[in-house]
Amino acid sequence: MLLTGDKDRIQADDDDSNFTNLVVFARFAGETEFINDVYEGSSVRKITDNSYNAGSYSVGDYYKCVSDNKLRMRSVYLYDNGGSIVLSHPRGYYAEYSDINIIGYKDASERASRMYELRQEWSEAVNNAISSGNKISDYNDTVYYDYGVLDKDNNGTIDSITIIYKNNESGNISVSWSSPLWNYTDYVNNISVNTGKKTINSYKYVQITNSYCKPDGDTNGYLFKDGDDQVFVSIATAVHEMGHIMGLKDLYNSKNASPVYFMSVMAKHISPVPQFMSLKEKEVLGWADENDIKTILSEGEYSLKALGTSGTDNITGYKMDIPEKGKTLYLEYRNFENNGNKYDSQYKQMFKINGNRVDKIPLKSGLVCYLIDSDTKFPSNMYFSSPKWNYEVLGGQYNTKADAALGIGEDIWIYGDIYISVNSIENNILTFEIKGGIPEHIHSGGEATCVNRAVCEVCHEEYGELNKDNHKLQHVEAKAATVTQEGNTEYYYCSLCLKYFADSNASKQIDKDSVVTSKLAPEIIAGDKCIIDKNSDKAITFKSNAAFSDFVKVELDGRELVKDKDYTVKAGSIIVTLNPDLIKKLSTGEHVIGIASSSGTASAHFTVKEPETESIKESETVMESTKGTELETESIKESETETISQIESETTSQYTFDENETNASSINTGDRNHGKLWLVIAIIALAGCIAATVMYVVSKRK
């Protein structure tokens, strides 16, 4: 979701990012604003955005490459009234005490207390910036985003927060490893954001202090340019710390010793642009699976592609358990030459500010062999030391592991009688051979079902037989049928073999049709027993409660009507309208309409009547005028009554319709008004006689 900003703001375009990093700039008490400070023609915030979003080498691009496009990160920014947030304590308060920094902490206890205090301080400043109405935006504060983008995985927490402190311009501040101002990743949960739909809280964060130049203003060695001439800072630390956000651990210990070193960004990261992480780390993050990593089960020759490149059957690496040693062997091919992956390559399009290409670190390409304690998910060497490392690279003479990879014709002893040798390397495909006392692999784990054999949890191959009684049953409760929907009895359904069962033990298989109950018969819910004047030019509408999708036809007095000629039909549920032209052709009297659907026919009755004529109306007027006349003798009344009864009897008998003259069809187009005309004339004559008699009697009395 995107927010519309002020008139001079624009909306951001949607993208396919699935992870958001919130960047917040912060400065300490007494320090001036710094986000618009310019170095090599770019502001601090532009340099920052190049380093996280826009540069050819950036934190976002790194994780897109190393994850094979599975992690697509976008960094957004929170400004406080257009600037950085301001902390209440000076920088020295969070640094170690010295003669020139007398406000610093003096011992480990005070250091820990102030580290906590620093976290609380910037968290409160962030909350205040949010509650003051500041929105998240792009680096230039011209594009606004909805706060909901901070929780891309929808787990209720902000994906990542990066706090970037102002660069240290004072010479009296010393920052040591593990101090409050060190670059590190930690947890904070007291930032709360209302997205409009829900409340999300902070979780993991990174804090970093970047340097942009030497005290004399020289930026060489601090700032770099990519092939597109974009200025950026070293992203090595930011990438390493973002790895901690993902869950990765440090591959060095507290004394900075590392048996992995240059073979992973989580060990010793190369600056300014770091190298790839290892295959095992990609695996635990879900960026490499059993299709990428195969299990070695026997001696033989195997091929794999270079990490981060395309190649043979997408096989990125191999692994093999060594139960006697309690270790698992991981094998990967790292190509540090120009045609390897973008971040392992020693020939990056990356330059110092003086125009010289950044110095390369010579790393040997080839097969890299790792050993890790079996059953370890996230490798870590923080609390380990030689010779019992949790995760280590085998071989090499240098502690940097720069020469540890095996080249063509080289071999390495792994354990017992197991040896590995490299046979060939062609572009990004390496072929190696493994031989020796490889333990026999016994399939284990997995579960056989009614359609699949068990899958070994080690080699991921199927083994054993089917278990025809092991179904994955889904319980379906009984549901009553309605007019528009079929119902069903209670049953169980196997999502694997697609069979139906009457019980939870799958002991009685049944047919699918046997559980279905038919829809209820439809009814007319509007239009029944209506009356229509046949010459009124009005239509009649009837409504069946059946589903419109079930509509079949319309019948009138047993005869099928023609759609769009005799009637129209529309949804809601089924609405049928008889056209006026059809109604004019119908005989007077009662008719039956049937709206047929696949679930049955809904029937209704309606009556067609003749229109009233002018002669009948005049007769009724005359009769009405005689009602007020007083007749003085009962004999006259009786005489009048007898006369009227006789005339009515004769008239009715004379103009009754002959059933034999009617059309066999319910639709009558003939003229039946002659008899009725004579009836009207007789009534008028009768009325005249009555009036004359009354006038004669009255005159005689006078």
Side-chain angles (χ1 to χ4, degrees), residues 532-550:
I532 184 69
D533 187 329
K534 70 185 302 178
N535 290 331
S536 64
D537 287 328
K538 294 182 179 178
I540 317 177
T541 297
F542 302 89
K543 184 175 182 179
S544 166
N545 61 358
F548 182 73
S549 58
D550 291 341

Side-chain angles (χ1 to χ4, degrees), residues 611-628 679-680 683-685 687-688:
E612 297 178 341
T613 66
E614 291 299 323
S615 298
I616 293 176
K617 292 181 180 179
E618 291 174 3
S619 172
E620 290 175 348
T621 302
V622 173
M623 293 294 289
E624 185 68 26
S625 67
T626 65
K627 289 182 180 179
L679 175 61
V680 171
I683 293 173
I684 294 172

Side-chain angles (χ1 to χ4, degrees), residues 407-702:
I408 298 176
E410 296 179 340
D411 60 18
I412 187 172
W413 171 75
I414 302 298
Y415 174 78
D417 296 330
I418 302 174
Y419 279 84
I420 294 177
S421 59
V422 175
N423 294 339
S424 67
I425 300 177
E426 296 182 6
N427 295 321
N428 282 316
I429 302 298
L430 181 147
T431 300
F432 67 93
E433 184 178 5
I434 185 168
K435 56 186 178 180
I438 299 176
E440 180 184 0
H441 174 67
I442 300 176
H443 295 303
S444 62
E447 180 184 25
T449 67
C450 54
V451 295
N452 295 314
R453 296 188 299 160
V455 175
C456 177
E457 61 186 8
V458 176
C459 67
H460 307 292
E461 293 185 0
E462 289 188 350
Y463 71 98
E465 303 296 331
L466 297 178
N467 183 354
K468 61 182 181 61
D469 296 323
N470 186 14
H471 298 280
K472 300 299 181 184
L473 294 180
Q474 299 177 1
H475 177 230
V476 181
E477 295 182 350
K479 182 179 68 174
T482 66
V483 174
T484 58
Q485 289 186 336
E486 294 176 333
N488 60 268
T489 59
E490 181 186 37
Y491 67 93
Y492 294 82
Y493 171 73
C494 178
S495 60
L496 299 178
C497 65
L498 311 182
K499 294 179 180 178
Y500 293 78
F501 300 91
D503 61 315
S504 59
N505 295 323
S507 62
K508 182 180 179 182
Q509 184 178 342
I510 57 178
D511 293 331
K512 177 182 178 181
D513 293 341
S514 68
V515 304
V516 178
T517 56
S518 301
K519 296 178 183 178
L520 300 181
E523 297 176 347
I524 296 294
I525 57 176
D528 190 28
K529 294 183 172 56
C530 67
I531 300 174
I532 184 69
D533 187 329
K534 70 185 302 178
N535 290 331
S536 64
D537 287 328
K538 294 182 179 178
I540 317 177
T541 297
F542 302 89
K543 184 175 182 179
S544 166
N545 61 358
F548 182 73
S549 58
D550 291 341
F551 174 74
V552 176
K553 64 181 178 179
V554 175
E555 295 179 337
L556 182 60
D557 298 330
R559 178 179 176 180
E560 183 176 351
L561 298 182
V562 179
K563 183 181 176 183
D564 297 329
K565 176 184 177 185
D566 298 328
Y567 70 94
T568 58
V569 61
K570 63 180 181 180
S573 302
I574 301 176
I575 300 175
V576 171
T577 301
L578 298 183
N579 296 331
D581 290 343
L582 172 68
I583 297 171
K584 290 178 181 180
K585 298 177 182 179
L586 298 180
S587 62
T588 56
E590 187 176 273
H591 297 271
V592 179
I593 183 173
I595 301 177
S597 59
S598 59
S599 57
T601 299
S603 299
H605 294 77
F606 67 97
T607 300
V608 176
K609 70 174 185 176
E610 291 287 352
E612 297 178 341
T613 66
E614 291 299 323
S615 298
I616 293 176
K617 292 181 180 179
E618 291 174 3
S619 172
E620 290 175 348
T621 302
V622 173
M623 293 294 289
E624 185 68 26
S625 67
T626 65
K627 289 182 180 179
T629 306
E630 295 184 1
L631 300 181
E632 298 186 3
T633 64
E634 290 298 323
S635 60
I636 293 177
K637 291 181 179 179
E638 292 174 0
S639 174
E640 177 184 349
T641 302
E642 291 174 358
T643 304
I644 292 173
S645 298
Q646 182 180 0
I647 293 173
E648 287 179 343
S649 176
E650 293 173 353
T651 303
T652 303
S653 175
Q654 181 179 355
Y655 295 104
T656 299
F657 285 120
D658 184 354
E659 292 296 331
N660 294 327
E661 294 179 358
T662 60
N663 195 318
S665 171
S666 62
I667 302 177
N668 187 352
T669 60
D671 188 357
R672 293 184 176 182
N673 289 331
H674 295 87
K676 292 184 178 180
L677 179 60
W678 284 110
L679 175 61
V680 171
I681 294 172
I683 293 173
I684 294 172
L686 173 61
C689 291
I690 294 171
T693 303
V694 172
M695 291 176 64
Y696 172 77
V697 173
V698 172
S699 65
K700 292 293 288 181
R701 295 291 297 231
K702 291 182 177 181

Side-chain angles (χ1 to χ4, degrees), residues 63 214 230 257 286 686:
Y63 279 100
K214 297 178 182 178
Q230 297 185 93
L686 173 61

